[in-house]
Amino acid sequence: MRGTASSTLRYRLNNWSAGVVAAVVLLTPVALGGNRPAIWALSALCLFAWSVVYFARLGLAEAHLRATVSIYAVLAWLFWILAGYMVLQILPVANLLPSSWLYLPGGVDPGTRISLTPGDTLLGLLRRLSYGLMFYLCLQIAANSSRSTAFLKVLFWIVVAHAAFGLLLFFEFEDAILFIQKWAYRGSATGGFVNRNSYATFLAIGAAIGASLLGNTLFSPRETGRQSRLVETLEGKNGVIVTVAGCLIIGVTLALTTSRMGFAAAVCGVAVVLLLSAWQGQRHLSIRALSFGTVAVAALLAALLFLYGGSLVERLESVESSANVRSDLYWQIWSMIGDRPLLGFGGNSFEYAYPLYHQAPVNFDVVWDKTHSTYLALWTDHGLLFGSIPLVMIGWCLFQLIGILQRRQVEDPATVAAFGAVVVAAVHSTVDFSLEIQGVTYLFVAVLAAGLGPLARRSRPAEKA
């Protein structure tokens, strides 16, 4: 009886966790994408406060966690190694290291710490800890297959709500942000975000989730008759009509962001998701069916661009000039990395380190406070070794997702959605900083953790989560 009671308590707490996480994912992007210190602290406080209640209740009931650290030991070790290094960057240990490791141009004194801005590095550590906690809570949520699917649908409709919010601000409030006049990116839908590219990545991840829900419905085998199956597919509990409507809202808003790479990342993510859904559903795709599907998707994209993507298409003409500007910037950033390849300049210190390297031909009329590439940001902040840890973590997750897909977990679209989210993030992160914006990262972390839920189910398949 005690085991049953503790299992029931854990099940209820995980349901509550799903609500807390969903609320954080929903509300954070409204506050300028969550890209403000007050929001970092507030969202972390909410997650930490709930975790205290969550773990205390489980401990008092002597109920064990559904997804234990041992299942994800590699991720846990990598996470804490990077967190530990960020703490080291803040401590006054620079005098113990060779001066060549702390080089700054122009004879600038590097100070007593590895980080040029210890306060910003501390805030970066706070954000990273909140991501880790959300990831761990989402692993517990996704340990139950039915709750995992329901949670994924909630995340999808959160993105749809933000897309509709963006349309409302764009059309009804004359392209406003938070119902006031914009100070940047006029003519581009940004929703609650300041930056159109960050908003586009958020929407693109939502598009990948929607594609996984559609793929799961369309490609999952059913044992009903042909006519009843058609009705169920269109109008049933998991019918596609409402989901398609949500995807169209996301697609329209995505086109109105005028984000070139955001739109491209969404196309890549959705294409991968639909192909994986078909393969996961054990469907043999004929050349005819594949051709028809490709033409249908291409026609839909063409219609979106024709009706709402005029400005986006115009911006495609400036790709070459933008690429040249970014290329010059990236070369200067590589010179920064070359000066501190082992230690980096400290978490979130790029804005203060780059002026020491900024020179022509990179424009001086613009404040370059971001690397415009998340990969380069990791290496400038933490060095090549420690900065590559998040990439190794994502690689481990991809390896596990591929393993889950090979075992044909047909009834759980979260795994396919997670794969699509990784594709979206990997593509857009090459040329922008969307994953450095908290509102985007929370959504990404939640989807990725949901996709890894089957690992916990496989370890204790008979337990209620």
Side-chain angles (χ1 to χ4, degrees), residues 42 96 148 207 215 234 236 247 266 278 313 327 333 369 372 426 429 447 454-455:
L42 183 59
L96 304 177
S148 175
L234 294 176
C247 288
V313 173
S327 177
I333 293 173
D369 58 348
H372 291 270
S429 292
V447 177
L455 294 181

Side-chain angles (χ1 to χ4, degrees), residues 190-209:
T190 57
F193 291 77
V194 174
N195 184 283
R196 64 183 164 213
N197 295 307
S198 302
Y199 187 43
T201 304
F202 186 84
L203 296 174
I205 294 174
I209 300 173

Side-chain angles (χ1 to χ4, degrees), residues 292-311:
F292 177 79
T294 302
V295 170
V297 172
L300 178 59
L301 290 176
L304 282 175
L305 291 174
F306 177 76
L307 294 173
Y308 302 100
S311 298

Side-chain angles (χ1 to χ4, degrees), residues 63-77:
H64 59 73
L65 294 165
R66 185 68 162 87
T68 60
V69 174
S70 60
I71 305 174
Y72 310 92
V74 173
L75 281 183
W77 275 106

Side-chain angles (χ1 to χ4, degrees), residues 3-239:
T4 302
S6 63
S7 180
T8 301
L9 173 65
R10 183 182 61 206
Y11 179 79
R12 291 176 178 173
L13 287 173
N14 285 335
N15 286 342
W16 275 99
S17 288
V20 172
V21 170
V24 172
V25 173
L26 171 66
L27 297 176
T28 300
V30 177
L32 304 178
N35 193 34
R36 293 294 185 275
I39 304 304
W40 303 338
L42 183 59
S43 60
L45 177 63
C46 291
L47 290 171
F48 293 153
W50 168 247
S51 68
V52 169
V53 176
Y54 178 84
F55 292 115
R57 290 292 303 277
L58 288 178
L60 291 174
E62 298 182 5
H64 59 73
L65 294 165
R66 185 68 162 87
T68 60
V69 174
S70 60
I71 305 174
Y72 310 92
V74 173
L75 281 183
W77 275 106
L78 291 172
F79 177 83
W80 287 113
I81 288 172
L82 180 56
Y85 179 63
M86 293 183 73
V87 172
L88 186 66
Q89 288 183 317
I90 299 170
L91 298 177
V93 298
N95 293 333
L96 304 177
L97 302 172
S99 59
S100 60
W101 292 10
L102 298 163
Y103 172 80
L104 290 175
V108 175
D109 182 11
T112 60
R113 294 172 172 81
I114 296 172
S115 174
L116 270 63
T117 56
D120 291 277
T121 303
L122 181 60
L123 286 174
L125 176 61
L126 175 66
R127 292 204 308 277
R128 199 167 296 278
L129 291 175
S130 70
Y131 300 153
L133 181 56
M134 175 176 280
F135 187 86
Y136 197 48
L137 289 174
C138 288
L139 291 177
Q140 313 303 324
I141 294 168
N144 179 286
S145 59
S146 60
R147 183 173 54 231
S148 175
T149 302
F151 180 62
L152 190 69
K153 291 178 180 178
V154 169
L155 293 178
F156 171 68
W157 288 108
I158 285 175
V159 178
V160 173
H162 276 280
F165 180 58
L167 292 178
L168 178 69
L169 292 176
F170 188 79
F171 287 112
E172 297 299 326
F173 289 88
E174 299 180 353
D175 195 15
I177 180 171
L178 296 181
F179 304 101
I180 61 175
Q181 186 176 1
K182 276 184 180 179
W183 58 88
Y185 297 102
R186 292 284 298 176
S188 299
T190 57
F193 291 77
V194 174
N195 184 283
R196 64 183 164 213
N197 295 307
S198 302
Y199 187 43
T201 304
F202 186 84
L203 296 174
I205 294 174
I209 300 173
S212 72
L213 295 173
L214 289 174
N216 183 252
T217 301
L218 294 173
F219 297 119
S220 293
R222 292 178 175 81
E223 298 180 357
T224 57
R226 183 173 181 178
Q227 183 176 359
S228 59
R229 180 187 170 182
L230 178 62
V231 173
E232 180 187 354
T233 300
L234 294 176
E235 301 177 359
K237 179 181 178 181
N238 297 315

Side-chain angles (χ1 to χ4, degrees), residues 82 128 373-383 386-388 390-391:
L82 180 56
R128 199 167 296 278
S373 170
T374 298
Y375 306 108
L376 294 179
L378 290 170
W379 293 327
T380 54
D381 285 355
H382 309 298
F386 291 100
S388 296
L391 306 182

